[in-house]
């Protein structure tokens, strides 16, 4: 096979770039003028790899021989899918392998918020156990109601874990899933009013942008908590900050933010939040697999074999 030229927008995952270089001519946008590298190789580039670096219409249109975008993530909201479709460009992603790890992060955030895990760690390190006695009490997960926004693969994996924690599970989404045993709400506000924890696992992008606004948070209420492992764009961040500071909700566990890696500084001093830096799929096992899937999809495409995970 001839060594096709691949534009690697970022390094991708552990081992991915090295594996890619075994089979392809890898072009990396060079600082200080990444656009120049792209212009110089525009006619050679046949595929793009990206983890979470955006692929715009402008970039797609600048590459006349582009055939494929191999995403090293499950989410597609950073790709101009309309522009890709118009050009008939093949798009692949890496779902499934990250489902369990990402669902684990939802549970980790929920447990840490409810049981004050992160807070307890800081409490000991600051010597407060001696000075102030026991940590204030947390809240049980057992017996509580969990509302999942978007019962896709990750949502279902969260539901399974929540059942094992003896929680009652319901969900909201664009349509009822009749093969799922959980209670369906077609009204997000009604579900928010009914639950103790709300976990967002829906896709990002225009369709879910700002789905969670102040009204939804108010409906969730002062004894309930929000967990976001989906996309920052799904939550109106200013509304969340307001709801947290005036205790319209009890707390939030966040793995994703509107403008990563920027995180609103107002969150740093709040005691009712737990923050992680977009680590849903960030385990060695999963990331190595994700990198391999990116390369295997490219090889399949250029060797004329069926794709592993076409979008
Ligand atoms: C990570 O957020 C992903 O979409 O895989």
């Amino acid at each position: 096979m001839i060594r096709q030229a691949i534009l690697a927008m970022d390094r991708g995952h552990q081992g991915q770039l090295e594996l890619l270089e075994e089979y392809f001519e890898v072009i990396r946008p060079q600082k200080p003028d990444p656009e120049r590298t792209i212009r110089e190789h525009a006619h050679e580039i046949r595929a793009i790899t990206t983890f979470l670096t955006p692929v715009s219409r402008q970039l797609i249109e600048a590459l006349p021989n582009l055939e494929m975008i191999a995403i090293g993530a499950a989410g597609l909201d950073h790709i101009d899918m309309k522009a890709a479709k118009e050009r008939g460009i093949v798009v692949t992603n890496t779902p499934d392998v990250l489902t369990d790890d990402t669902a684990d992060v939802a549970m980790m955030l929920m447990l840490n918020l409810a049981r004050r895990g992160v807070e307890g760690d800081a409490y000991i390190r600051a010597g407060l156990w001696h000075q102030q006695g026991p940590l204030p009490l947390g809240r049980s997960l057992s017996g509580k109601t969990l509302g999942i926004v978007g019962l896709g693969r990750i949502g279902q994996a969260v539901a399974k874990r929540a059942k094992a924690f003896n929680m009652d599970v319901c969900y909201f989404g664009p349509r009822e899933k009749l093969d799922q045993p959980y209670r369906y709400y077609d009204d997000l506000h009604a579900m928010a009013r009914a639950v103790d924890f709300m976990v967002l696992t829906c896709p990002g992008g225009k369709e879910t942008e700002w789905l969670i606004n102040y009204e939804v948070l108010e409906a969730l209420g002062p004894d309930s908590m929000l967990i976001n492992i989906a996309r920052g764009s799904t939550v109106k961040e200013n509304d969340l900050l307001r709801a947290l500071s005036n205790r319209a909700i009890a707390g939030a566990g966040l793995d994703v933010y509107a403008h990563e890696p920027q995180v609103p500084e107002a969150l740093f001093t709040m005691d009712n939040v737990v923050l992680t830096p977009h680590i849903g799929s960030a385990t060695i096992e999963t990331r190595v697999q994700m990198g391999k899937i990116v390369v295997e999809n490219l090889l399949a495409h250029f060797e004329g074999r069926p794709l592993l995970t076409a979008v």
Side-chain angles (χ1 to χ4, degrees), residues 233-261:
S233 58
T234 304
V235 177
K236 215 169 173 181
E237 213 160 61
N238 283 337
D239 285 13
L240 175 62
L241 295 177
R242 184 152 68 95
L244 284 166
S245 64
N246 59 21
R247 309 266 165 178
I249 62 171
L254 306 173
D255 187 47
V256 289
Y257 309 86
H259 306 287
E260 295 170 13

Side-chain angles (χ1 to χ4, degrees), residues 57 88 151 163 168 170 182 193 216 240 247 264 288-289:
R57 171 178 288 275
L151 195 70
K163 290 306 282 182
D168 179 35
C170 56
Y182 314 109
R193 280 192 294 275
V216 175
L240 175 62
R247 309 266 165 178
V288 167
Q289 289 230 62

Side-chain angles (χ1 to χ4, degrees), residues 52 73-75 98 231 278 290:
L52 294 173
L98 50 68
R231 283 293 182 263
H278 203 145
M290 288 164 74

Side-chain angles (χ1 to χ4, degrees), residues 40-223:
E40 281 174 1
H41 296 276
H43 286 264
E44 287 157 61
I45 294 167
R46 304 281 298 277
I48 295 175
T49 63
T50 176
F51 172 28
L52 294 173
T53 310
V55 176
S56 64
R57 171 178 288 275
Q58 193 194 2
L59 176 60
I60 291 171
E61 288 179 352
L63 306 175
N65 296 312
L66 185 67
E67 291 175 29
M68 177 167 182
I69 301 170
I71 310 169
L76 312 172
D77 52 307
H78 53 313
I79 312 298
D80 192 323
M81 288 297 288
K82 192 160 173 278
K85 203 165 173 202
E86 280 168 23
R87 282 270 309 276
I89 286 163
V90 170
V91 181
T92 59
N93 65 344
T94 59
D96 302 320
V97 288
L98 50 68
T99 300
D100 283 333
D101 281 347
T102 308
D104 287 349
V105 171
M107 299 311 290
M108 177 179 81
L109 289 171
M110 197 153 51
L111 278 166
N112 265 303
L113 264 183
R115 301 304 308 275
R116 300 179 177 265
V118 172
E119 205 181 326
D121 179 277
Y123 197 74
I124 291 182
R125 290 172 198 256
L128 296 176
W129 198 2
H130 280 295
Q131 289 168 27
Q132 298 181 10
L135 190 71
L137 298 181
R139 305 205 184 218
S140 312
L141 291 196
S142 181
K144 295 291 168 57
T145 302
L146 167 66
I148 299 175
V149 176
L151 195 70
R153 284 170 275 203
I154 296 171
Q156 288 170 37
V158 172
K160 194 168 137 192
R161 284 157 174 72
K163 290 306 282 182
F165 277 82
N166 198 27
M167 300 181 86
D168 179 35
V169 177
C170 56
Y171 69 102
F172 164 81
R175 67 198 71 83
E176 184 167 13
K177 299 203 166 171
L178 296 170
D179 61 336
Q180 294 299 318
Y182 314 109
R183 204 161 63 258
Y184 175 63
Y185 282 88
D186 61 6
D187 178 342
L188 179 58
H189 289 79
M191 186 178 83
R193 280 192 294 275
V195 301
D196 303 293
F197 297 89
M198 188 156 85
V199 176
L200 311 182
T201 61
C202 53
K206 283 274 165 277
E207 275 175 26
T208 56
E209 192 172 30
W210 289 3
L211 182 67
I212 309 300
N213 56 21
Y214 197 80
E215 288 68 43
V216 175
L217 295 168
E218 242 182 347
L220 192 58
D223 291 321

